[in-house]
Amino acid sequence: MKVFRSVDEIPADFGPSAITVGKFDGVHEGHRAVIRELLAVAAKENLVATAVTFDRHPSTFLAPERAPVALVGNDQKLGLLAGAGLDATLILTFDAALAFLTPVDFVQSILVNGLHARVVLVGRDFRFGFRGEGDVAMLTELGLQHGFTVHIIDDVMPSGGRRVSSTWIRELLAVGDVKTAAALLGHAPAVQGEVVHGAKRGRELGFPTANLSPSSEGLIPADGVYAGWLTDGDSRYPAAISVGSNPTFDGVPPKQVEAFVLDETIDLYGHVVLIAFADRIRGMVKFTGIGPLIEQMNDDVEKVRERLA
């Protein structure tokens, strides 16, 4: 997948293209439904399947006090979009210049002049341009002027009738329900970051862990112990994952992510790894001593094996 980080990077001979525009936070099943339709249209009409997205949630610039934590970082997002089969992604910096772009200028400068759009696929509630003044009706009218058609994609609504959304997935992760979140995402929720040195308490207890840097990317689920996977480059390992401050020890920072790789001894310090959450084993518990803690950790590892089998 080709990645462009500004309109200026797009070659003059790019396209013609079939485009979808959105935040794509998490690249969840709703996004994937749009991408599947985009790929079908692009294949039928011999177009370049392209996504236009942003380097941050618009609220991070417009109303930072209300901005949600991103489900994935930009590297994760681009990897997921590539995995979905797109030919190209334009990831725009959401800054003042973009925020104040009028709907007409957004379409003309980005979709038409930059990407040479022939088809644009969006949801029914799609808004664009300064203050979200552009809507589907305006986009359709602009398409008539500039030679592209607009396709409306219906929301993905699993049983229960709620639309799949990044907001719903955040709610699930806030209570540790990573299994349902994974079903809505189409992939396991994950965080990515550099492995750094910790207090080495896990090593002393016989469970050496890979500790993620506090600056890791991705939304960390609720405190607890999880079954999951640690991916380092091309290698993926089953892991018991701890999230949160350890209530048995003092001085442990909140929302710490640690992964104990099962049956392997690996030096991961300085590596950027992806930790994916498959299932929640339990919440955090404060133990009265080291003995009960080690006993529980052994039990956690066995449960992790069962859940990942």
Side-chain angles (χ1 to χ4, degrees):
M1 182 182 77
K2 295 178 181 178
V3 176
F4 308 117
R5 298 183 183 274
S6 73
V7 175
D8 293 339
E9 291 185 6
I10 304 170
D13 61 351
F14 183 85
S17 62
I19 302 170
T20 184
V21 185
K23 295 184 288 291
F24 294 105
D25 189 17
V27 192
H28 56 59
E29 280 298 331
H31 301 137
R32 289 168 184 270
V34 175
I35 292 170
R36 285 192 291 271
E37 181 65 21
L38 181 76
L39 294 175
V41 170
K44 181 179 178 181
E45 302 189 22
N46 195 28
L47 302 172
V48 181
T50 305
V52 176
T53 190
F54 312 105
D55 70 333
R56 69 200 80 180
H57 193 288
S59 295
T60 305
F61 175 78
L62 298 170
E65 70 282 357
R66 299 199 306 271
V69 177
L71 293 175
V72 296
N74 286 330
D75 288 343
Q76 288 174 267
K77 175 161 60 172
L78 290 171
L80 291 165
L81 290 172
L86 288 169
D87 297 316
T89 292
L90 170 62
I91 181 166
L92 297 167
T93 300
F94 200 97
D95 55 12
L98 186 62
F100 289 97
L101 208 59
T102 68
V104 171
D105 287 341
F106 180 91
V107 166
Q108 188 162 324
S109 64
I110 296 171
L111 303 188
V112 177
N113 295 344
L115 296 170
H116 304 113
R118 292 293 178 271
V119 179
V120 179
L121 287 78
V122 294
R124 294 186 183 281
D125 60 353
F126 178 66
R127 311 290 300 196
F128 64 102
F130 179 60
R131 293 180 176 171
E133 291 173 351
D135 58 11
V136 170
M138 182 184 291
L139 184 65
T140 303
E141 178 61 33
L142 290 168
L144 292 173
Q145 296 175 28
H146 292 288
F148 64 82
T149 59
V150 176
H151 294 200
I152 308 302
I153 306 300
D154 289 328
D155 293 334
V156 173
M157 301 177 70
S159 58
R162 182 172 180 179
R163 178 175 70 95
V164 175
S165 67
S166 300
T167 298
W168 186 5
I169 294 164
R170 287 189 191 92
E171 291 171 4
L172 293 167
L173 294 179
V175 296
D177 189 354
V178 294
K179 286 188 75 172
T180 304
L184 299 184
L185 283 165
H187 57 87
V191 293
Q192 180 173 283
E194 182 181 354
V195 176
V196 298
H197 290 276
K200 295 184 171 57
R201 290 195 182 95
R203 185 177 301 278
E204 294 167 0
L205 298 173
F207 297 88
T209 58
N211 301 272
L212 280 198
S213 163
S215 60
S216 60
E217 294 185 329
L219 181 57
I220 301 170
D223 291 2
V225 175
Y226 296 83
W229 305 90
L230 182 148
T231 299
D232 176 37
D234 295 329
S235 301
R236 189 177 81 147
Y237 307 97
I241 306 161
S242 172
V243 172
S245 61
N246 191 323
T248 305
F249 299 102
D250 294 328
V252 179
K255 281 297 183 188
Q256 186 174 19
V257 179
E258 307 174 61
F260 169 64
V261 173
L262 275 55
D263 306 321
E264 298 276 357
T265 302
I266 320 165
D267 182 2
L268 294 170
Y269 291 120
H271 292 211
V272 175
V273 302
L274 185 76
I275 294 179
F277 302 88
D279 200 0
R280 193 173 195 232
I281 304 298
R282 62 173 175 87
M284 276 297 181
V285 178
K286 184 170 184 177
F287 295 92
T288 55
I290 300 301
L293 173 59
I294 293 175
E295 183 178 348
Q296 181 63 62
M297 291 170 76
N298 280 309
D299 184 63
D300 292 339
V301 167
E302 290 310 306
K303 284 188 170 62
V304 168
R305 292 186 194 280
E306 293 170 8
R307 304 287 177 90
L308 297 179

